[in-house]
Amino acid sequence: MAEDVRSHAEELEEISEFDFWSKVKTRLILDLVEGKKVLDVGCGAGRLSKILLEKGYAVTVIDCDEKAIEIAKKKGVVGFVADIDKWEPDQKFDCVVAADILEHIDEDRSVIRKLHSMLKPGGYLIVNVPSYKFLFGQHDISLGHKRRYSDGELKAKLEESGFKIEIQRHWNLLALPMTIIVTRILKRDYPHQEISRIYSLSKILEKLLSLESKVNYLFGISILCKAKKI
């Protein structure tokens, strides 16, 4: 990576205090975590991992971005620079979190099977993925997404890999209108970072998104799923 190119993890860390979407997503995931040993796959700026560590969980993170692991280690988290399909842990986990990871991977089925193998019997996999295939556009391309998911596709891929779905829900309906306008009509990248840097707007959006996530489970541009290893 060229020295003048900033990693996505660095960009996330820069806006972490104001990133309304990441804050709400983290709270939703925290409500689903079970067990003691947790693996965070693709930890980004390490917001989730840091909170899990503070809550007493034994947290391990992996990311293919060296900067992401550097940031995570500064927060006291055990981390490894690795691709999930090549990494061989020396332990099994009670819970694996793969938030906004599967959409980046060509062979997502093989990675889901790999995540299954990393769990203890009865362990849990928590995934968050972008939804609504018709929304695939410039924002996805700029982030390196290979796909967006339908409910049926995600459910089928998890079940055929040995998981039982316990919770599967949508969230972030709030962003749907803007996503349609920006990525499908204007064919531009979604201005997430720019919006997050407007503190007053970010706080309002965080409150609205947090409220929405408590009452809306059927619609939204992300799918959050908790599945049990069987």
Side-chain angles (χ1 to χ4, degrees), residues 50-157:
K50 182 175 182 292
I51 296 174
L52 287 169
L53 192 66
E54 292 171 347
K55 288 181 174 290
Y57 291 91
V59 185
T60 303
V61 303
I62 66 168
D63 201 299
C64 58
D65 183 350
E66 292 183 9
K67 287 294 183 181
I69 298 303
E70 182 180 313
I71 292 169
K73 287 183 175 180
K74 288 179 180 178
K75 296 176 179 179
V77 181
V78 176
F80 301 91
V81 180
D83 290 319
I84 182 61
D85 56 341
K86 299 176 182 177
W87 188 58
E88 297 297 336
D90 58 2
Q91 60 178 315
K92 300 288 187 180
F93 298 93
D94 299 307
C95 186
V96 172
V97 178
D100 302 290
I101 299 301
L102 295 179
E103 65 270 19
H104 293 271
I105 299 169
D106 287 311
E107 298 296 330
D108 57 346
R109 282 185 170 89
S110 66
V111 168
I112 292 171
R113 291 193 293 270
K114 181 67 174 290
L115 297 175
H116 184 277
S117 72
M118 293 178 175
L119 285 164
K120 297 177 181 179
Y124 288 94
L125 173 64
I126 299 171
V127 298
N128 192 75
V129 295
S131 65
Y132 300 147
K133 289 177 176 291
F134 75 91
L135 286 179
F136 192 92
Q138 183 57 44
H139 181 62
D140 296 281
I141 294 170
S142 66
L143 289 175
H145 292 178
K146 309 299 182 183
R147 71 191 71 78
R148 301 182 74 92
Y149 287 82
S150 67
D151 288 280
E153 179 185 4
L154 180 61
K155 182 174 185 289
K157 287 180 175 179

Side-chain angles (χ1 to χ4, degrees), residues 21-35 38-43 46-49 51-52 55 57 59 95-101 124-129 167 169 171 213 222-227:
W21 175 79
S22 180
K23 287 182 177 180
V24 176
K25 180 181 74 170
T26 297
R27 289 197 289 266
L28 292 174
I29 292 173
L30 285 170
D31 287 340
L32 302 180
V33 172
E34 291 194 31
V38 180
L39 172 66
D40 186 2
V41 179
C43 60
R47 176 192 296 277
L48 173 65
S49 301
I51 296 174
L52 287 169
K55 288 181 174 290
Y57 291 91
V59 185
C95 186
V96 172
V97 178
D100 302 290
I101 299 301
Y124 288 94
L125 173 64
I126 299 171
V127 298
N128 192 75
V129 295
I167 297 171
R169 57 161 297 176
W171 69 284
S213 68
S222 289
I223 302 173
L224 180 63
C225 182
K226 178 179 181 178

